[in-house]
Amino acid sequence: MFVNLRRRLKSRIRYKITLPYLLLLAFLSGLLIVIIFWLYAQSLQNQLNQSLRTSATNTGVGLETIEAQILDNLRLLVTSPANEKEDLLSTAEAFSKNDVDQVEKIVNNAFNYFKPSRLIALNADGQVLVDAASSTVLSRSPSLVGSTELAKDSLIQAVLRGQVDDYGDKYASLLRIGADPPYTMFFVVAPVKLTVGSSEQVVGAIIYAEPLERIVNEELPPRNGATITAILNSDGSVLTSNPPQEAAELVISPKQIEQIKASQANPDPETRGTLFTTIQRGDTSYQVMYSPMRIRRALNGYFAVGLPRSNIDRAWQQARVLIFLFGILSLISIIWISVRVTRSITVPLGELVSTALRIKSGDLEGRSFVSEENELGTLATVLNDMTDRLLDLYRTSRQLGTELTLDGVLTQTTAAVQRLIPEAEIDALVVEQGVWHYVTTETVREIARPFPATSLETLAPMVTITENPALDSALRPLAPNVQLVLPLRTQQQVIGALLVKNDHAMPAASSIREPLSAIASMTATAMQNAVLYTTVQDEASRKQAILQSIADGVIVLDPDGKVILVNHTATAMLGASEADLLGKSFAEFSLTPLSGGAELFATPTATTFYETSDQRILTVNAAPVEREGLQSGEVLVLHDVTEERAMDRAKTDFIATISHELRTPLTSICGYADLLLRGFVGPLTDEQTQFMTTIRQQGQSMVEVLQNVIVIASIEAGNMEPQIEHHLVSELLPPIAQAFQKGFEQKQLKLIIDLPENMPYIVVDRDHFKIMLTQLLENARRYTQTGTVTVQAKTVDQRIQIAVIDTGPGIASQDFERLFERFQRGGEQSGLTSKERGIGLGLAITKQLVERNSGKIWVDSTQGVGSSFIMQFPMLQLEPSNYDLMKATVANS
């Protein structure tokens, strides 16, 4: 019986050892067969790829050969000499004379000799003189005689302009002539040049074109040996293919085009600039290779060649059954071996995994019940112990996280430590900004520095007090029965220490060191948070008190422009409660923007004024709130300027009223002075004439100053809103300039009006334009002593530009900016010592009116040479053919 038992055991052992090796051998044998078939199929694939590369190379060479043949024929044609027998001029002479009959004879002779599909002759202006084409071509594309559309092509333009690049003066590309669908032709264009002396002149061009579909169907297949040949446009669409059916399958996407372009940088010439793909036509699959198509060394699209994958597909079909059987056998073998090997460990391991998953999902009460006396049983015991400790630390962490006071944090810490040391008491030392506090579960009091804070940085995570005499002597006065010290560290910073007090024997240090260290770490974080919370609360209260005491309104916006904070002053200004404003954007406030800037005697500013519902006038200043270089919101400061605005308005109204009142008597004074000078009351002596001339000049100057003040007052009062219309510059500008002719003649200055014909319509307010130009002309007359004053009009960048150019003394560049400010005058003309009177309002008026008419103004000046004041305004955009119609409409109206 024992012999039979021994034989059974030996047989079972041999079975267990031999069977896995047999299964492994079967797996390796099957894998070897699969590898052999894979290598064989890969070899066939490489052969197919090489055949496709050869076809692609032959296709490229074929296109270059066709291009060269056409180019040779064109050279003979464009350089053809005169033939007296046939009464033919040379090609160059016929084109230079624009002799259509001679050009037609030359082209027809060449057409009959070279047998092209299409010859097109263009004169130097790009007009088609002759279009000779076969009947097949003309059926797809109409004759182009008399058309100039071909001349719009960039390559044909280059030939007609006589441009020459690295490859000569003849160009080749693809041409799509109008048809539906467009008829694409491969063409070469050459210039016809006439030699005049030592130079050559382009007098025309000849295009030699062949249909792209004929090249693909007749020329390329014998050369490349491909089953499929196709030419694609630069966007990946198919222009023509052979065979033509189902050409849409050959379209490539923009992503594939990018792959072709990227592969051109590949150092391997076998894969440079290529893309392989597979298409299915009926029961046959084809492998297609795409390559860039270059005509005259320039990328003009892509071409594709395809060959059937019959051999490769056949090889894989033969191996399919064997691979399938091998896969089934391998799968069964692996499953059987896995079941036999893992059965002895899956049940206890499943129990451990189930327990671990329960713990991972948050069920810290889960425990493993594996009781086997092996590694799995030991692992289960360790897992249960770790879970108990983790659960205790987790509960402690949650409890500490809810506390926001130092004594509350210490209460939770004491409870956690007492689960390890039942009769222990816990106190804490906490340092905050150099101030030490002694914390118990009942009180927090400030104490003198017990020892340097840096001494805590060198302590171990748990220190027995008897092992550190210096620490013992420092802490005994505070806690006589302290036994352990746990440094409180957070964010690489020591903020204090936990003092563990106990009158009884302590547990072994090795059993409590790790959990106590974890508790100390959590306590440090909780105490730091409690300190920060208290600090933030105090700081928030202080800032809130400061914000509410500010006399101006303050509104804080978040990154989305919504109100998150507002003080009492702002709510009073806006007439709304804090609850009504929170969460709203600035656009939702009950504020009405006021037009106009500063008043007459106020400092010019870009500040926008707003009016509230209770007629308060507010200004709003905004400043970004930045955090770490990024904008996290915005602060708006509201300032009540109701009284200041009223005072400015009163000053403006007063000045305007005084100006109106003074202008009437001054006008009478100037009028009577003019009558006296004209002799209406009798002749005047020379001295009387001089006095009356001075009275008239000074009175007129005062009238001009008052007129400017009235204009400024009208602008500020909102009474000069522009009425934008379109006007002919030729009707608008000359009358204004000519009104100054007499004034310029009195100073012996020449007035020049530079106004081109057919100027576009200017879009501007007529009255405003008159004031602007009058101010600039008066400015030029005033400060120019000799020379000329030019009024120039022209179009610049789709705008009308009006410039007043003088030959006066010029202006220093540092005065340019302030010239257009109120009461400012440039250079030596500043102040009351100027020979010319004025208060510096003219240019300020001009600038305001220019900007109100959507224009812009600037000055360009050189001292000693003169100044140019330049204005630009919008122009009416019309097609050239519509200008005469618009003029007629204006005239009739």
Side-chain angles (χ1 to χ4, degrees), residues 132-166:
S134 64
S135 58
T136 303
V137 172
L138 287 177
S139 66
R140 293 288 302 277
S141 175
S143 174
L144 300 176
V145 174
S147 172
T148 57
E149 289 299 316
L150 284 179
K152 297 179 181 179
D153 185 84
S154 59
L155 296 183
I156 297 176
Q157 288 180 5
V159 171
L160 293 176
R161 289 196 297 267
Q163 293 182 2
V164 180
D165 59 13
D166 295 339

Side-chain angles (χ1 to χ4, degrees), residues 592-642:
T592 304
L594 298 179
S595 60
E599 298 297 338
L600 181 62
F601 288 101
T603 302
T605 177
T607 303
T608 302
F609 296 90
Y610 295 90
E611 184 175 12
T612 65
S613 57
D614 58 354
Q615 296 184 341
R616 291 188 183 187
I617 308 299
L618 306 179
T619 61
V620 180
N621 294 318
V625 178
E626 295 186 353
R627 181 180 301 170
E628 298 179 355
L630 299 176
Q631 184 171 343
S632 60
E634 194 173 20
V635 176
L636 304 180
V637 179
L638 311 181
H639 184 62
D640 191 337
V641 293
T642 305

Side-chain angles (χ1 to χ4, degrees), residues 448-497:
R449 181 191 300 271
F451 45 75
T454 55
S455 63
L456 292 176
E457 298 178 357
T458 59
L459 293 180
M462 187 181 78
V463 180
T464 303
I465 196 70
T466 56
E467 297 176 355
N468 193 324
L471 199 62
D472 188 7
S473 61
L475 295 178
R476 286 297 177 187
L478 295 172
N481 57 343
V482 61
Q483 295 196 24
L484 298 177
V485 177
L486 305 173
L488 297 176
R489 294 187 176 94
T490 177
Q491 298 179 353
Q492 299 180 348
Q493 179 184 4
V494 179
I495 64 169

